[in-house]
């Protein structure tokens, strides 16, 4: 019998000194349309430098006349685009926006030619954030790549980096600020971390995930085979269950939580048009989400919880940020069990991992346990590595998260303001927890997958105070409705950080002073090491 065999898809042949240029977009078309002018300008600037080097740039797909943008906006589209690219051709992925990595990862996984990821380093459209997420995904799937970033693509570092890639297929970056964790000094911090790790591996913990894979973050999904040996297991939950539970929360319960926030000094900036302004009804739903999340956590005996908060949920209810920030706060409105007999997690923060990022989940759980055991305030959160510029001789990073910061990072609820989330991304609205993080010493970290194992980078920094006009400028240049932290990293430059960091997120927790921060970092390193996670110290770290 003769069968009709499939015909391989014909691909063009690679040509000398020719690079294929693609870009990955958002899944939200409103974001793609809004971001396209910045993306088009970035592509034009990168193309010009390639052409100066004598290279031809081919863009294997054009601008869609119906949508008005030229992003790869779905996984299927990405697969189709890669059929037009020679498998061994040099390939550049250029991004000037947040991008859903899974749109292009299938094609990148099987691509045989050299891969370069490129982003703008600008405040308005977060290409560098998208770049870090994409790089982390490539790192997780052990795909070699090179990476570059630039403010305007005219600086010497970018041009020399691109020249190196065209000549050798790689770009080298300085990694002298990174060292593997050596033997920690004997002492109470090491002993504490080891004991906490042994307890976790023996007694185990559960993280509740309300739908994995938020916003295309392949790097934020930790396989059970890697996660379980640390002592951490998943309870896979559905956002539909969270929504259903929200509908059972009485208005009086949400009102009580609202009254608590007002009594503790939080301010909400209300308007009348729910399409673009914050309303009391939006906040009511967010407080019902806060209560519902705690009750579901109680049902399953969870130790931390993560809400995806994007696809699906954003079309049903207001954003989850207010609920998330309250959960991450030790000082928060009390929530009782359904029968009213118990206050859930009384007097404690309940770790929440924003965007269901499981690297954040492990980090938040570990940080909470170490800091509480040391008698410190354990409130911690992720931030987006959003942008940064020099100020008064230091490179000061803009760390922002979409609103889910604990109030203690802002100095208390009296410094917290509820601003409406942007309507382009959050059609149902909802309040952020807006404010400016107070000056202080912080421990920073990221847990990620590389070389097929869980790894952690630990580093130190300081949150600094900038003048009000500079803070306002930075907020207006990025997202003024989001909370901001002005961060100076210890012993690592902007470019060292960009080349090394394996996520769009970074975890932040305060300590009362530098000495305590160093001690807490040692305890955290010992706990992570005891969990079987490969630990690295980055920058100036005292152990």
């Amino acid at each position: 019998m003769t069968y009709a065999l499939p015909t391989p898809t014909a691909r063009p042949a690679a040509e000398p000194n020719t690079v294929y240029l693609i870009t990955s977009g958002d899944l939200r078309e409103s974001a793609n349309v809004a971001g396209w002018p910045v993306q088009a300008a970035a592509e034009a600037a990168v193309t010009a430098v390639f052409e100066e080097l004598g290279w031809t740039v081919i863009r294997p797909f054009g601008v869609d006349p119906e949508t008005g943008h030229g992003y790869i906006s779905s996984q299927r589209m990405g697969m189709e685009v890669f059929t037009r690219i020679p498998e061994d051709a040099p390939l550049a992925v250029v991004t000037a926006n947040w991008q859903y990595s899974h749109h292009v990862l299938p094609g990148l996984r099987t691509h045989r030619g050299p891969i370069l990821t490129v982003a703008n380093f600008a405040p308005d459209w977060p290409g560098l954030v998208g770049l870090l997420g994409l790089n982390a995904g490539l790192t997780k799937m052990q795909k070699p790549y090179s990476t570059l970033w630039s403010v305007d693509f005219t600086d010497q570092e970018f041009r020399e980096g691109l020249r190196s890639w065209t000549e050798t297929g790689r770009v080298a970056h300085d990694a002298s600020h990174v060292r593997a964790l050596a033997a920690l000094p004997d002492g109470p911090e090491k002993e504490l971390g080891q004991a906490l790790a042994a307890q976790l591996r023996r007694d185990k913990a559960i993280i509740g995930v309300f739908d994995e894979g938020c916003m295309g973050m392949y790097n934020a999904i930790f396989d059970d085979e890697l996660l379980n040996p640390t002592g951490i297991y998943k309870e896979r939950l559905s956002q539909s269950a969270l929504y259903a539970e929200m509908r059972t929360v009485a208005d009086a319960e949400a009102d009580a939580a609202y009254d608590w926030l007002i009594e503790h000094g939080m301010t909400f900036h209300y308007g009348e048009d729910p399409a673009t302004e914050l309303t009391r009804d939006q906040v009511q739903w967010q407080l019902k989400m806060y209560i519902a999340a705690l009750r579901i956590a109680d049902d399953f005996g969870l130790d931390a919880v993560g809400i995806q908060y994007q696809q699906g949920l954003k079309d049903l209810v207001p954003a989850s940020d207010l609920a998330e920030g309250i959960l991450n706060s030790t000082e928060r409105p009390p929530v009782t069990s359904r029968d009213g007999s118990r206050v859930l997690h009384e007097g404690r923060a309940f770790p929440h991992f924003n965007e269901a990022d499981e690297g954040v989940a492990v980090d938040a759980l570990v940080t909470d346990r170490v800091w509480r055991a040391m008698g410190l305030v354990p409130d911690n959160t992720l931030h987006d590595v959003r942008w940064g510029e020099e100020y008064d001789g230091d490179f000061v990073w803009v760390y922002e998260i979409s609103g889910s910061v604990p109030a203690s990072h802002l100095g208390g609820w009296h410094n917290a303001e509820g601003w409406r989330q942007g309507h382009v991304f959050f059609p149902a609205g909802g309040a952020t927890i807006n404010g400016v993080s107070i000056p202080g010493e912080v421990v920073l970290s990221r847990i990620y997958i590389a070389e097929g194992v869980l790894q952690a980078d630990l580093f130190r920094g300081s949150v600094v105070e900038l003048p009000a006009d500079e803070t306002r400028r930075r907020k207006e240049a990025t997202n003024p409705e989001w909370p901001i932290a002005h961060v100076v990293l210890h012993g690592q430059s902007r470019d060292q950080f960009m080349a090394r960091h394996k996520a769009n997120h970074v975890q932040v927790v305060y300590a009362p002073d530098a000495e305590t921060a160093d001690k807490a970092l040692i305890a955290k390193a010992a706990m992570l090491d005891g969990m079987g996670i490969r630990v690295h110290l980055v920058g100036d770290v005292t152990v």
Side-chain angles (χ1 to χ4, degrees), residues 257-272:
Y258 181 80
D259 292 343
W260 188 99
L261 293 174
I262 297 300
E263 289 167 4
H264 284 74
M266 185 170 183
T267 303
F268 291 91
H269 295 270
Y270 290 125
E272 297 181 356

Side-chain angles (χ1 to χ4, degrees), residues 332-459:
R332 56 180 176 80
V335 174
T336 62
S337 56
R338 291 186 186 84
D339 62 6
S341 64
R342 294 173 294 118
V343 176
L344 302 179
H345 299 277
E346 186 172 11
R348 285 178 48 192
F350 188 79
H352 178 278
F353 46 105
N354 181 273
E355 297 173 356
D357 183 338
E358 292 163 16
V360 173
V362 177
D363 207 328
L365 189 151
V366 168
T367 302
D368 179 78
R369 294 191 176 194
V370 170
W371 260 244
R372 283 196 294 114
M374 294 182 67
L376 306 175
V377 177
D379 303 0
N380 67 98
T381 184
L382 68 84
H383 273 280
D384 278 344
V385 181
R386 182 57 193 269
W387 174 60
E389 278 187 339
E390 293 276 341
Y391 187 86
D392 198 23
D394 289 319
F395 189 86
V396 183
W397 284 95
V398 171
Y399 282 3
E400 291 181 337
I401 189 53
S402 55
S404 59
V405 68
S408 60
H409 286 202
L410 310 177
W413 286 106
H414 62 285
N415 291 329
E417 299 183 354
W419 289 29
R420 192 201 191 277
Q421 284 283 20
H423 64 276
V424 170
F425 301 101
F426 299 93
T432 63
I433 301 179
N434 198 4
V436 182
S437 291
I438 59 175
E441 296 301 306
V442 290
V443 176
L444 306 107
S445 49
R446 176 62 193 181
I447 299 173
Y448 56 96
I449 298 173
E451 300 175 337
V453 299
L454 292 185
Q455 307 204 29
D457 285 358
L458 299 182
F459 44 108

